[in-house]
């Protein structure tokens, strides 16, 4: 994980101390468990499309939006989420997404809405029933639907 901020390094130290104090650190420190890139001229923020045109600072400059990019080991973007500057991020949700991305890339499965690590997973609709029964020895459960279509198929988490 790495962060990009339009603030200076000095501002990061003060902000990091505040964040650590907010999170209950007994002795707040000036560091976080990830690096922060200082971009006070906003060069990278502009290149990466990270400025929120609707939110401005005291000088009328757009502030950074809360952008999240997840890049896979293959150096391809796997997820891009742009939160408005006024909306916080949910780190637990980001970790859930990373768990899903890692699982689905390694096991030819999909994850349903609200999936949590360890929950059952979905068989991709592109996989034939024959291939699914060969691949998932623990079985495949098909959700009965009014349409009669069999595209909601589940199997156990591949541990």
């Amino acid at each position: 994980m790495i962060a990009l901020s339009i603030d200076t390094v000095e501002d990061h130290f003060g902000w990091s101390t505040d964040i650590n104090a907010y999170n209950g650190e007994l002795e707040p420190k000036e560091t976080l468990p990830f690096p922060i890139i200082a971009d006070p001229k906003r060069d990278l923020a502009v290149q990466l499309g990270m400025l929120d045109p609707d939110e401005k600072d005291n000088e009328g400059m757009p502030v950074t939006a809360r952008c999240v990019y997840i890049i896979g080991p293959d150096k391809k973007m796997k997820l891009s989420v742009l939160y408005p500057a006024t909306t916080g991020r949910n780190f637990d949700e980001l970790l859930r997404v990373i768990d899903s991305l890692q699982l689905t890339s390694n096991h030819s499965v999909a994850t349903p809405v609200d999936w949590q690590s360890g929950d059952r997973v979905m068989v991709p609709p592109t996989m034939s029933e024959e291939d699914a029964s060969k691949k998932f020895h623990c079985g495949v459960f098909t959700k009965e639907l009014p349409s009669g279509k069999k595209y909601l198929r589940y199997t156990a988490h591949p541990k």
Side-chain angles (χ1 to χ4, degrees), residues 68-87:
V68 176
Y69 303 120
I70 297 177
I71 311 298
D74 59 0
K75 297 185 177 34
K76 293 182 180 177
M77 187 176 307
K78 304 300 180 186
L79 175 80
S80 171
V81 180
L82 176 63
Y83 295 89
T86 55
T87 303

Side-chain angles (χ1 to χ4, degrees), residues 3-145:
L4 174 72
S5 171
I6 60 171
D7 295 321
T8 64
V9 171
E10 294 77 25
D11 289 335
H12 294 159
F13 289 137
W15 178 79
S16 298
T17 301
D18 289 347
I19 293 300
N20 285 322
Y22 177 81
N23 287 318
E25 295 277 335
L26 294 177
E27 293 185 36
K29 51 191 178 292
E30 296 179 335
T31 61
L32 293 172
F34 53 86
I36 302 175
I37 297 171
D39 185 27
K41 293 184 180 178
R42 303 172 188 205
D43 295 332
L44 281 173
V46 168
Q47 282 183 331
L48 296 171
M50 299 175 79
L51 296 180
D52 187 336
D54 297 328
E55 295 293 326
K56 312 246 192 259
D57 65 14
N58 293 337
E59 287 96 40
M61 295 289 293
V63 297
T64 51
R66 306 312 190 233
C67 299
V68 176
Y69 303 120
I70 297 177
I71 311 298
D74 59 0
K75 297 185 177 34
K76 293 182 180 177
M77 187 176 307
K78 304 300 180 186
L79 175 80
S80 171
V81 180
L82 176 63
Y83 295 89
T86 55
T87 303
R89 289 148 330 271
N90 180 329
F91 203 72
D92 290 335
E93 172 60 8
L94 296 176
L95 291 174
R96 186 193 77 82
V97 169
I98 291 169
D99 285 344
S100 173
L101 289 169
Q102 291 173 338
L103 178 74
T104 59
S105 72
N106 293 323
H107 294 285
S108 302
V109 296
T111 57
V113 66
D114 295 330
W115 172 87
Q116 296 293 319
S117 185
D119 289 354
R120 68 183 182 173
V121 295
M122 296 182 78
V123 177
T126 55
M127 186 179 291
S128 72
E129 287 193 41
E130 182 182 339
D131 289 344
S133 64
K134 288 179 187 174
K135 181 169 180 66
F136 304 112
H137 303 289
C138 59
V140 175
F141 164 75
T142 302
K143 176 76 174 167
E144 296 296 326
L145 299 169

